[in-house]
Amino acid sequence: MVAVPVVLLESEQFLSELTRLFPKCRASGRVFITLKKCDGRTRSIPKKGSVEGCEPADNKCLLIATDGKKKVSTVVSSKEANKFQMAYSSLLRAKMDGLKKRDKKNKSKKAKTPQ
Amino acid sequence: MPQYQTWEEFSRAAEKLYLADPMRARVVLKYRHVNGNLCIKVTDDLVCLVYRTDQAQDVKKIEKFHSQLMRLMVAKESRNVTMETD
């Protein structure tokens, strides 16, 4: 596997990078998202870049997103988790829309396709 | 690499795997728009659980599960604190 330098970002930056990753991969390729609990000594993070690893804490998690070429990551702590999670969830739901819909009958009333 | 056919089985096994060793376990999400499929994998480097889908209705479940695990990962300390205080 080619060693892609990992860039550690702020959670907001990470979200905007992730938002850009999805459309890039729409025509081809795939998006990989990894979620891992953070303890301060994660060897999987390469030493390149501004990555010092996480501070020794129990309440952080590491998120990595890549399209195979570019890799971005962020560390989420319990403080940011709520805010980050809401944005992250809606991002995933909005972007991962290429899957087959089972029924035409959707339970959600919001889903109205504008003609 | 056991692949699960039902979401319920997968989520139960995956959560168990994570809780068994939170530090080792990691969750990987693979989305392929071209093929229109999504794959979620939970592994602790010994065991690897996979669930693949091409159904839109599973996206929500997978994303919710993902967020749940994220919350577990960051909440550990605060959880312990609340549990310890009498």
Side-chain angles (χ1 to χ4, degrees):
Chain A
M1 217 152 88
V2 182
V4 182
V6 185
V7 180
L8 191 63
L9 303 168
E10 296 295 322
S11 25
E12 278 184 28
Q13 263 180 296
F14 174 82
L15 284 171
S16 36
E17 284 299 322
L18 186 57
T19 311
R20 282 195 287 186
L21 259 183
F22 276 101
K24 260 170 62 175
C25 298
R26 257 173 123 76
S28 67
R30 46 193 151 158
V31 182
F32 267 83
I33 299 175
T34 309
L35 171 68
K36 189 178 198 313
K37 191 168 165 68
C38 196
D39 69 337
R41 270 184 302 270
T42 31
R43 276 185 296 163
S44 50
I45 301 179
K47 295 195 189 126
K48 257 199 212 171
S50 57
V51 182
E52 251 133 8
C54 318
E55 291 155 8
D58 204 23
N59 59 338
K60 293 189 199 213
C61 69
L62 173 68
L63 263 156
I64 306 178
T66 178
D67 61 350
K69 300 191 199 102
K70 187 163 171 207
K71 218 168 183 180
V72 291
S73 65
T74 190
V75 174
V76 182
S77 66
S78 48
K79 278 185 285 181
E80 314 161 300
N82 274 335
K83 200 173 81 167
F84 179 83
Q85 215 173 332
M86 286 201 302
Y88 179 70
S89 301
S90 25
L91 175 62
L92 283 191
R93 268 188 249 188
K95 295 302 179 182
M96 298 191 182
D97 61 347
L99 275 65
K100 278 190 266 181
K101 298 211 169 26
R102 218 184 221 175
D103 282 342
K104 287 226 175 119
K105 295 184 252 172
N106 271 335
K107 279 191 196 161
S108 56
K109 291 177 197 160
K110 281 188 207 165
K112 266 192 192 165
T113 41
Q115 287 297 323
Chain B
M1 195 154 89
Q3 193 168 305
Y4 287 80
Q5 299 301 319
T6 61
W7 172 250
E8 285 73 30
E9 286 177 9
F10 171 81
S11 55
R12 249 180 297 153
E15 193 169 340
K16 223 166 90 172
L17 184 67
Y18 167 75
L19 290 171
D21 195 343
M23 284 323 303
R24 276 241 290 240
R26 68 175 184 279
V27 186
V28 185
L29 220 60
K30 253 191 273 189
Y31 173 67
R32 215 158 175 212
H33 188 89
V34 191
N35 292 355
N37 59 19
L38 178 63
C39 168
I40 180 168
K41 180 168 86 167
V42 180
T43 177
D44 65 350
D45 292 332
L46 294 167
V47 178
C48 183
L49 311 170
V50 180
Y51 181 77
R52 267 183 246 266
T53 183
D54 59 351
Q55 302 290 328
Q57 62 182 11
D58 284 334
V59 173
K60 206 153 76 159
K61 296 187 201 156
I62 290 176
E63 171 272 306
K64 244 172 90 174
F65 181 71
H66 200 253
S67 303
Q68 222 175 309
L69 283 182
M70 200 194 301
R71 234 178 274 169
L72 281 174
M73 292 178 183
V74 297
K76 190 155 183 220
E77 209 173 43
S78 42
R79 269 245 174 110
N80 279 345
V81 169
T82 37
M83 273 174 24
E84 276 169 345
T85 49
D86 290 314

